[in-house]
Every structure is written in structure tokens, then in C-alpha cells.
């Protein structure tokens, strides 16, 4: 990690004041690197691990507004990406990736509960709040590493197990659907190749998604009543599943994306 002290050492002796990013890299790096995560070669602190050569697990940190009496705060964010999206960019700040990389530990905690978020208990709500944002005293040297260690424990308990479980493109689709981060509208006559950078909609095509395919088949074969406008749109999209020429064109584009993104990941030190 390029730092003389381990996280346990900085909790038990006086050391020079750490920046937020340095504390994150130190404390989380010790835990994440043995699990296959690598620190991206960037000015911004992203830990990334690649699964099956196509799925990315990402953990990073973002500053937040502190709650009194502490004067500083941060949140730990985790997310998923695949090499089939139009662009992967870890050379930009976390704020610039926040539109898709926005699930904090508190959100991962909520997803482990049986109840809907609107019906959780007061205790569960308190736990969620404690995991969503971590406050510390910037002028107390041991405050930041201590709180960072608390954040790591939360990530290990609630975030990492869920990231670990997402090890196939089918599970990526389920994750993106749950987070509302996948768009079925990418299936159109223009192929939507210039869509937003984090579009993962073509995963439905790569996996030949049975649920979506069947839903559209029922509409195209008039087993479900829809308006003429909806029928026209769905029929156009359905062709991507059944027309080999269309599918071949899209797969060629997705292979280009994969090649481009893998090249980027190699530059960033994520892939050897």
C-alpha cells in the first residue's frame, strides 16, 4: 500500500494525521486486496475487482456533510458494472459516477431486511442511519482511522456478501433491476449505441433473458392487449431476440465495448 503503518498500528500509537483518502486506502486496502480488489491507478480512490473477466465489483468513498458534534463525515459506496456498458471511467470523481455508483452500506443493510423500507422498526432505521454516513473529528488523530475501521466492519457484514453473490450476468441484471439501473429501451432500430455511459440494457440480449423475451413474445403474438403504439415499440425490440442479423450486429458492438473497457482496466491496473 506504500504506507508504513497498518490500520491496527495507527489505532494504537500516535502517527501523522491521515487524509480521508489515505485512511480509506489503508484500512480498506488491508481487507479488500486479499479478496481480489485492486486500487485503481487514479487520483480517486476506487477499489475494483473483476469477476469472470466481465463483472466489476466496486467499493469507494465519498465525503458527506457531518452531523454535530463531529465536523467531518464520509459514506462508503459499493456497486456493480460490466464490461458491456458503453464506458467505464474511474479517472473521474466519485460524484461523476454517482448516478450509478450510489448504494451506501446503509442501503445494502436495508436490502437484507424482510420489511419494506417504509415499515422498518425504529431500531432498524437507526442502524440504517449509522451505516449510511460515518462522522468523525478531523482534529482528533485517532478519530478517522477508528471510524474508518467501523465502516469497514459494516461493509464486511452487509456490502461484501452481496457483492460476492453477484457473479453472473443474470445476477447483474437482477441487481440492476432492483436498483433501477437497467434500461429496456436500448432495444430500438438505432441500437442506442450512444446511450448514457452506464447503460447495461443489452445484458438482456447477451443472456437471452427468458423473462423479458417471453413478456414481449406474448405482446407480439397478441396474447396481451396493448395499444398500437406499445405494440409497435415492443415488436421492434422483440426482433433483437429473434432476428439473427440484428443480434449479430449488437453482439459485434458489445464485443467492441468489452475490448475497449478491458483495455481501460488494464491501463488502470485492474487487469494484468
Amino acid at each position: 500500500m506504500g504506507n508504513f503503518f497498518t490500520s491496527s498500528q495507527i489505532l494504537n500509537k500516535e502517527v501523522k494525521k491521515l487524509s480521508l483518502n489515505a485512511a480509506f486506502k489503508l484500512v480498506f486496502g488491508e481487507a479488500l486486496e486479499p479478496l481480489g480488489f485492486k486500487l485503481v491507478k487514479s487520483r480517486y480512490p476506487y477499489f475494483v475487482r473483476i469477476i469472470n473477466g466481465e463483472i466489476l465489483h466496486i467499493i469507494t468513498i465519498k465525503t458527506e456533510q457531518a452531523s454535530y458534534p463531529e465536523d467531518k463525515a464520509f459514506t462508503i459506496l459499493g456497486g456493480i458494472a460490466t464490461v458491456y456498458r458503453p464506458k467505464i471511467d474511474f479517472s473521474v470523481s466519485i460524484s461523476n459516477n454517482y448516478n450509478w455508483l450510489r448504494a451506501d452500506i446503509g442501503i445494502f443493510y436495508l436490502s437484507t431486511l424482510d420489511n419494506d423500507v417504509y415499515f422498518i422498526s425504529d431500531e432498524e432505521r437507526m442502524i440504517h442511519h449509522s451505516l449510511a454516513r460515518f462522522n468523525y473529528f478531523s482534529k482528533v488523530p485517532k478519530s478517522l482511522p477508528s471510524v474508518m475501521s467501523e465502516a469497514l466492519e459494516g461493509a464486511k457484514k452487509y456490502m461484501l456478501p452481496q457483492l460476492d453473490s453477484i457473479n453472473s450476468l443474470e445476477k447483474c441484471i437482477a441487481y440492476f433491476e432492483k436498483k433501477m439501473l437497467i434500461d429496456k429501451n436500448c432495444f430500438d432500430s438505432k441500437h442506442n449505441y450512444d446511450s448514457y455511459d452506464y447503460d447495461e440494457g443489452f445484458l438482456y440480449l447477451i443472456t437471452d433473458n427468458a423473462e423479458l423475451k417471453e413478456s414481449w413474445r406474448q405482446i407480439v403474438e397478441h396474447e396481451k392487449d396493448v395499444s398500437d403504439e406499445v405494440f409497435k415499440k415492443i415488436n421492434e425490440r422483440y426482433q433483437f431476440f429473434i432476428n439473427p442479423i440484428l443480434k449479430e450486429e449488437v453482439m459485434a458492438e458489445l464485443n467492441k465495448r468489452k475490448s475497449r473497457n478491458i483495455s481501460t482496466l488494464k491501463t488502470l491496473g485492474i487487469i494484468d
Side-chain angles (χ1 to χ4, degrees):
M1 296 292 298
N3 195 306
F4 177 78
F5 298 106
T6 65
S7 58
S8 59
Q9 286 175 317
I10 62 177
L11 289 173
N12 292 296
K13 65 188 297 183
E14 292 296 327
V15 297
K16 66 179 182 179
K17 181 180 177 181
L18 288 172
S19 68
L20 179 62
N21 285 354
F24 172 67
K25 293 175 184 178
L26 178 64
V27 175
F28 272 73
E30 286 183 2
L32 296 180
E33 289 180 349
L35 301 178
F37 285 85
K38 294 184 178 181
L39 182 64
V40 170
K41 293 178 180 177
S42 169
R43 62 178 293 187
Y44 302 104
Y46 296 94
F47 280 101
V48 178
R49 137 180 104 181
I50 188 161
I51 306 297
N52 300 330
E54 56 187 1
I55 301 168
L56 280 68
H57 296 169
I58 306 106
I59 295 179
T60 188
I61 188 170
K62 181 177 179 292
T63 58
E64 290 289 341
Q65 182 67 40
S67 298
Y68 182 83
E70 293 94 335
D71 65 318
K72 297 288 184 179
F74 63 87
T75 186
I76 301 298
L77 304 175
I80 301 292
T82 80
V83 295
Y84 300 106
R85 61 173 50 189
K87 184 179 181 181
I88 295 173
D89 193 355
F90 296 122
S91 68
V92 298
S93 71
I94 287 77
S95 295
N96 287 332
N97 280 324
Y98 192 65
N99 45 13
W100 63 271
L101 186 56
R102 59 176 182 258
D104 57 49
I105 301 174
I107 291 174
F108 279 91
Y109 164 72
L110 289 178
S111 67
T112 67
L113 304 179
D114 295 329
N115 293 333
D116 185 274
V117 64
Y118 298 105
F119 300 102
I120 62 176
S121 67
D122 289 341
E123 180 182 1
E124 290 167 338
R125 199 174 303 280
M126 288 180 63
I127 293 173
H128 165 248
H129 287 164
S130 71
L131 294 169
R133 180 174 54 186
F134 297 88
N135 300 280
Y136 65 97
F137 296 100
S138 62
K139 295 185 179 181
V140 179
K142 292 184 179 180
S143 179
L144 174 56
S146 177
V147 174
M148 190 67 70
S149 294
E150 292 177 14
L152 174 61
E153 291 308 306
K156 288 164 66 175
K157 187 173 183 179
Y158 299 111
M159 182 180 285
L160 276 169
Q162 293 182 57
L163 294 182
D164 289 342
S165 71
I166 303 171
N167 54 16
S168 69
L169 294 181
E170 290 79 8
K171 291 179 179 179
C172 285
I173 290 174
Y175 173 86
F176 293 139
E177 287 179 337
K178 188 174 183 180
K179 303 296 184 185
M180 294 184 290
L181 291 172
I182 192 165
D183 186 6
K184 300 181 179 76
N185 293 325
C186 64
F187 293 86
D188 60 31
S189 58
K190 297 179 181 178
H191 302 180
N192 207 26
Y193 291 158
D194 296 322
S195 61
Y196 46 89
D197 289 346
Y198 58 94
D199 171 35
E200 302 273 8
F202 279 120
L203 291 185
Y204 289 112
L205 190 64
I206 296 174
T207 60
D208 197 33
N209 187 264
E211 183 178 356
L212 181 61
K213 187 176 181 180
E214 174 60 15
S215 174
W216 287 354
R217 183 200 65 78
Q218 291 176 11
I219 292 173
V220 170
E221 297 185 5
H222 303 286
E223 295 178 13
K224 288 184 179 179
D225 291 330
V226 297
S227 68
D228 291 342
E229 182 180 357
V230 170
F231 176 85
K232 181 179 179 181
K233 290 180 179 179
I234 297 301
N235 184 51
E236 184 178 286
R237 295 169 187 170
Y238 184 60
Q239 299 308 308
F240 284 84
F241 279 111
I242 64 173
N243 186 320
I245 295 177
L246 271 179
K247 192 168 184 178
E248 185 177 348
E249 288 177 359
V250 174
M251 293 306 297
E253 166 64 20
L254 295 177
N255 284 330
K256 289 180 182 178
R257 292 182 182 182
K258 181 179 180 179
S259 178
R260 183 170 62 244
N261 286 325
I262 285 179
S263 178
T264 297
L265 293 172
K266 287 181 178 179
T267 300
L268 294 172
I270 303 305
I271 299 177
D272 297 329

